[in-house]
Amino acid sequence: MTSNPTRLGPIKLGIVGVGKIVRDQHLPALAKDANYQLAAAASRHGKVDDIPNYPTIEAMLEAEPGLEAVSLCMPPQFRYDAARTALEARKHVFLEKPPGATVSEVEDLKALAVKNGVSLFASWHSRYAPAVEAARAFLASARISSAAINWKEDVRRWHPNQEWIWAPGGFGVFDPGINALSIATHILPPMFITSAVLDFPENRASPVAAHVSFRTSNGLPVTMELDWLQTGPQSWDILAETDKGKMVLSGGGAKLAVDGKIVHDEPEAEYPMLYKRFAEIVRAGVSDVDLAPLQHVADAFMLGKRNVVEAFFD
């Protein structure tokens, strides 16, 4: 692609959708990254201190023509229109996960980025967890016989009062589950869903739990259990039985153990790594958009049997 020229100094960035994930992860990462100058924000409700704030991305882009890139952090149902607006304005675009509400939306954005000569980044943050690459290297050196994904957490802790996650296109339990899939598609052989059961609360439009079976391209079984009502300790684990021992990638990719022995454990730095990668692709004039995790979610909804369970929220 032909890159939209970006000067060698800090990339002037605008952030859109100032909510919990922006305050918890994006702002701290940007504050420590010399590759960026956070120059503006746009959000219906939230604001970022000490920079101009606007109610919409359109207002931000009109008032801040010097912006070179935008980071889009609103819910996925609303991301396509914002991304299209930014790409047509020839801005590089960072997409929070999941990159869109549908696969076809993101495919269209990929083509639009090429047309306008700018970079598009699907930011699978869990793929940048500290032990993921070590797990990938271990599995590449071993013969896998089976694998299991167990991703269980408490929605009331991680998404308090966030109704968008239960609306159509909000993903439900696949909002955290796609993090697991972003790791699994990076460290395991190519895999395909063979069956799924999705538990829908009777008063919600998105699932609260999912039970999914895969097979890999070479016929190995992989299971995935997603649960959004787990109390107490939270579980974000990928396990694999291999000829070199039982691998457990735990803590959402933070720790790697083989036969119970920790072999990799480093501090988490997912969002700093994401922004480092975004700067790399902007400077290189390329895009980085892997749709495999989102495709698996789409396949689960397509093949999944809907199981209605008792309502748990009023």
Side-chain angles (χ1 to χ4, degrees):
M1 64 186 279
T2 302
S3 175
N4 183 29
T6 300
R7 57 193 172 84
L8 295 179
I11 299 164
K12 292 188 69 174
L13 180 79
I15 200 160
V16 185
V18 181
K20 187 177 189 307
I21 192 65
V22 166
R23 299 196 184 284
D24 290 352
Q25 299 289 352
H26 289 259
L27 296 183
L30 287 166
K32 298 177 181 178
D33 195 328
N35 284 304
Y36 298 95
Q37 175 193 347
L38 182 57
S43 185
R44 289 184 300 168
H45 305 296
K47 293 184 182 298
V48 178
D49 293 339
D50 301 321
I51 60 172
N53 287 269
Y54 302 92
T56 66
I57 185 174
E58 291 84 1
M60 182 180 75
L61 293 177
E62 182 178 359
E64 305 284 346
L67 289 178
E68 297 163 290
V70 296
S71 184
L72 301 182
C73 307
M74 70 285 285
Q77 300 101 312
F78 310 108
R79 200 167 293 144
Y80 172 81
D81 288 339
R84 187 173 187 87
T85 296
L87 292 170
E88 288 180 336
R90 296 178 60 81
K91 311 301 181 185
H92 307 289
V93 174
F94 178 118
L95 299 169
E96 243 296 355
K97 69 88 189 169
T102 69
V103 175
S104 56
E105 282 183 352
V106 188
E107 288 284 9
D108 187 61
L109 295 176
K110 286 172 61 179
L112 193 60
V114 172
K115 178 182 176 182
N116 287 285
V118 290
S119 299
L120 183 67
F121 182 39
S123 64
W124 300 113
H125 68 82
S126 290
R127 195 173 280 182
Y128 290 79
V132 169
E133 289 301 326
R136 187 184 192 195
F138 172 79
L139 292 177
S141 71
R143 187 170 66 251
I144 308 167
S145 56
S146 65
I149 302 164
N150 297 312
W151 224 256
K152 302 178 180 181
E153 62 181 55
D154 187 353
V155 63
R156 292 156 295 199
R157 175 179 172 185
W158 300 102
H159 292 276
N161 304 314
Q162 294 183 18
E163 282 298 314
W164 65 265
I165 56 176
W166 301 112
F171 286 69
V173 74
F174 284 98
D175 179 74
I178 205 169
N179 293 334
L181 289 168
S182 73
I183 297 174
T185 54
H186 188 61
I187 68 174
L188 293 172
M191 57 188 191
F192 314 94
I193 291 178
T194 57
S195 65
V197 177
L198 311 183
D199 294 343
F200 284 76
E202 59 188 4
N203 62 342
R204 291 294 185 269
S206 293
V208 70
H211 322 276
V212 185
S213 295
F214 302 83
R215 68 173 177 85
T216 67
S217 54
N218 53 355
L220 300 177
V222 180
T223 60
M224 181 168 71
E225 292 291 326
L226 306 179
D227 184 4
W228 230 356
L229 295 178
Q230 175 147 305
T231 58
Q234 311 285 276
S235 304
W236 301 294
D237 305 326
I238 297 178
L239 302 85
E241 296 286 352
T242 81
D243 62 338
K244 291 188 174 181
K246 182 177 182 178
M247 185 206 81
V248 178
L249 181 63
S250 62
K255 294 182 180 182
L256 178 66
V258 178
D259 286 338
K261 180 181 178 181
I262 298 292
V263 297
H264 198 97
D265 183 5
E266 294 180 6
E268 183 272 324
E270 293 175 14
Y271 277 81
M273 293 296 292
L274 285 178
Y275 276 103
K276 178 183 178 183
R277 176 60 179 158
F278 186 45
E280 288 173 351
I281 69 171
V282 166
R283 305 293 191 201
V286 298
S287 289
D288 183 350
V289 184
D290 178 11
L291 286 172
L294 185 61
Q295 185 66 64
H296 281 308
V297 173
D299 291 349
F301 277 93
M302 188 183 333
L303 288 177
K305 176 184 176 182
R306 183 186 179 108
N307 182 44
V308 179
V309 298
E310 184 179 356
F312 60 94
F313 287 142
D314 295 332

